[in-house]
C-alpha cells in the first residue's frame, strides 16, 4: 500500500494521517474498477489499524454517486467511519455540490482534491464549505497566487475546515506556506512510502 503523509504544523510538524495511493491508477478506467480499488484500499487500512491517524482515499465523484450505498456500507462494516476521508476532484462531476451535500448527510467525510487545477470553481467551493472536511490546494495555486491561498486559509479556518497544501517539496516552500498561515501539508518533502 503506497501512501503519502499528511502533516499538521503548530509548534512543530506532526503526522496526522496519510493519503492512500492506488498501486496502479492507470488501470482505473471505470466505476466498477474504481469502487473495487476503493474497497481493497479500505480493507488494507483495516489491517494496518493505526488508531490515531486519518486516511484520505481517492474516489471519482461519479463512482461515489453510482455506488453511494455500497461505499457507506463498506466504511461501516470495516468500522472506519472516523478514519476515512474520501477525496474527490471537481472536474469529474458537473453536479459536485449536490453530491457533496448528499453524501455529507450520510456522515461521509469529504475532501476537495487538487483545488486550483482543472475545473475548480471558487463559487461552488464556498457554497460547499460546510459540507467538506478539507480542501487540498494544488501546488500551482499556492506557488503562483499566495494571496488566494491566504484568503482560502482565512475562510476555511473560520469554518473549521482543513486547508492542505499539496506537493510541498522543499523546506523553503514549507516555511513560505507556514508564513502564509497554512497548517496542513502533504508532499515529497516529508518522504515517500
Amino acid at each position: 500500500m503506497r501512501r503519502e503523509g499528511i502533516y499538521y504544523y503548530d509548534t512543530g510538524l506532526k503526522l496526522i494521517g496519510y493519503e492512500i495511493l492506488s498501486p496502479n491508477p492507470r488501470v482505473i478506467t471505470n466505476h466498477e474498477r474504481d469502487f473495487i480499488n476503493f474497497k481493497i484500499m479500505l480493507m488494507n487500512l483495516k489491517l494496518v489499524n493505526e488508531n490515531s491517524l486519518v486516511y484520505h482515499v481517492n474516489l471519482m465523484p461519479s463512482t461515489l454517486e453510482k455506488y453511494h450505498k455500497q461505499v457507506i456500507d463498506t466504511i461501516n462494516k470495516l468500522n472506519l467511519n472516523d478514519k476515512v476521508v474520501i477525496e474527490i476532484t471537481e472536474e469529474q462531476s458537473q453536479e459536485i455540490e449536490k453530491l457533496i451535500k448528499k453524501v455529507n448527510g450520510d456522515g461521509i467525510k469529504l475532501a476537495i482534491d487538487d483545488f486550483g487545477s482543472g475545473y475548480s470553481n471558487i463559487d461552488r467551493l464556498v457554497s460547499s464549505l460546510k459540507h467538506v472536511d478539507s480542501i487540498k490546494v494544488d501546488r500551482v495555486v499556492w506557488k503562483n497566487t499566495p494571496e488566494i491561498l491566504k484568503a482560502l486559509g482565512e475562510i476555511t479556518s473560520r469554518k473549521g475546515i482543513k486547508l492542505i497544501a499539496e506537493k510541498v517539496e522543499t523546506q523553503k516552500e514549507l516555511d513560505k506556506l507556514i508564513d502564509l498561515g497554512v497548517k496542513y501539508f502533504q508532499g515529497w518533502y516529508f518522504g515517500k512510502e
Side-chain angles (χ1 to χ4, degrees):
M1 178 169 59
R2 294 178 357 171
R3 58 191 189 171
E4 191 171 281
I6 300 172
Y7 292 82
Y8 172 74
Y9 176 83
D10 189 13
T11 56
L13 287 171
K14 177 184 176 189
L15 177 69
I16 61 163
Y18 290 99
E19 178 178 352
I20 305 305
L21 304 168
S22 176
N24 192 351
R26 287 178 177 77
V27 301
I28 300 173
T29 56
N30 62 45
H31 302 305
E32 185 177 7
R33 281 193 177 155
D34 191 31
F35 179 63
I36 290 168
N37 186 60
F38 175 79
K39 283 177 64 172
I40 290 168
M41 288 192 290
L42 288 189
M43 286 185 267
N44 286 334
L45 287 179
K46 185 62 178 173
L47 295 174
V48 172
N49 197 17
E50 296 167 299
N51 289 331
S52 63
L53 301 178
V54 173
Y55 298 94
H56 286 236
V57 182
N58 287 286
L59 196 60
M60 293 185 297
S62 50
T63 301
L64 182 55
E65 240 171 321
K66 183 173 182 171
Y67 289 98
H68 175 242
K69 176 134 177 51
Q70 294 92 326
V71 167
I72 294 167
D73 290 346
T74 302
I75 292 171
N76 288 336
K77 283 179 189 172
L78 295 171
N79 198 25
L80 294 170
N81 305 58
D82 295 332
K83 296 187 156 297
V84 173
V85 177
I86 298 174
E87 292 189 10
I88 57 175
T89 54
E90 294 178 286
E91 79 267 1
Q92 295 165 331
S93 175
Q94 293 300 317
E95 303 208 8
I96 196 77
E97 186 177 349
K98 190 166 89 174
L99 174 64
I100 289 171
K101 288 176 182 176
K102 176 182 178 181
V103 299
N104 185 261
D106 293 323
I108 293 175
K109 292 181 182 178
L110 293 175
I112 303 295
D113 192 16
D114 296 331
F115 179 79
S117 64
Y119 297 91
S120 293
N121 181 317
I122 195 78
D123 292 335
R124 185 184 310 137
L125 175 70
V126 170
S127 67
S128 301
L129 279 180
K130 63 184 173 226
H131 301 288
V132 297
D133 174 81
S134 49
I135 297 169
K136 297 179 86 177
V137 180
D138 192 83
R139 178 183 181 84
V140 170
V141 171
W142 61 257
K143 192 110 171 130
N144 298 318
T145 54
E147 57 281 348
I148 290 177
L149 181 69
K150 192 165 179 70
L152 276 173
E154 291 169 6
I155 293 167
T156 55
S157 178
R158 284 195 306 265
K159 303 277 188 181
I161 297 165
K162 297 171 196 76
L163 183 67
I164 304 169
E166 293 187 295
K167 302 174 187 162
V168 178
E169 296 179 359
T170 67
Q171 180 69 48
K172 185 178 178 182
E173 291 172 347
L174 177 63
D175 292 342
K176 177 184 175 183
L177 289 163
I178 290 170
D179 287 345
L180 289 168
V182 178
K183 298 280 188 191
Y184 297 91
F185 311 93
Q186 180 180 343
W188 288 354
Y189 172 72
F190 307 102
K192 297 184 233 180
E193 290 188 39

